[in-house]
Amino acid sequence: MRAAIYARYSSDQQSASSIEDQIRICRERALRQGWKVAGCYKDAATSGASMVGRAGIQALLRDAQSGAIDIVLAEALDRLSRD
C-alpha cells in the first residue's frame, strides 16, 4: 500500500516543528502497518477552512487522483480540513 502523509499547522503562533512531529507520527503508523510512504505533503501557517491557497493539499489531491497513492495519513482529521 502506497501512503501519502499530509501535515499542516494553522497559524504563525504555532511551531514549524509541529509539521515534523505530525510527519513522524504518520511515518511510525505507516511502518507499523507495513505501508510504503510514497510522499509527504505539507502546508505551513495555513488555515484548514479552505482548500484554496494550500499548495500541499492541492499536490496531494492531484497525486491521489492520478493513482499515485492508495491511502492518506494525517495526524488528525482536522489537519486535512475543518469541515
Side-chain angles (χ1 to χ4, degrees):
M1 177 106 29
R2 298 164 299 166
I5 294 173
Y6 180 74
R8 178 186 64 80
Y9 71 93
S10 59
S11 76
D12 291 328
Q13 296 174 353
Q14 290 179 309
S15 169
S17 66
S18 171
I19 283 183
E20 296 311 315
D21 291 340
Q22 292 174 51
I23 291 172
R24 179 185 46 77
I25 290 166
C26 292
R27 281 190 185 281
E28 290 170 357
R29 172 73 190 272
L31 181 64
R32 284 193 308 273
Q33 297 297 325
W35 299 333
K36 176 187 175 204
V37 175
C40 290
Y41 306 81
K42 53 192 170 184
D43 288 304
T46 307
S47 172
S50 172
M51 297 288 189
V52 176
R54 292 169 56 192
I57 197 76
Q58 293 301 320
L60 170 66
L61 291 170
R62 281 191 303 275
D63 287 350
Q65 290 171 340
S66 75
I69 57 176
D70 302 307
I71 191 167
V72 175
L73 293 173
E75 185 265 334
L77 189 57
D78 69 354
R79 298 301 84 200
L80 292 169
S81 176
R82 288 289 180 201
D83 295 325

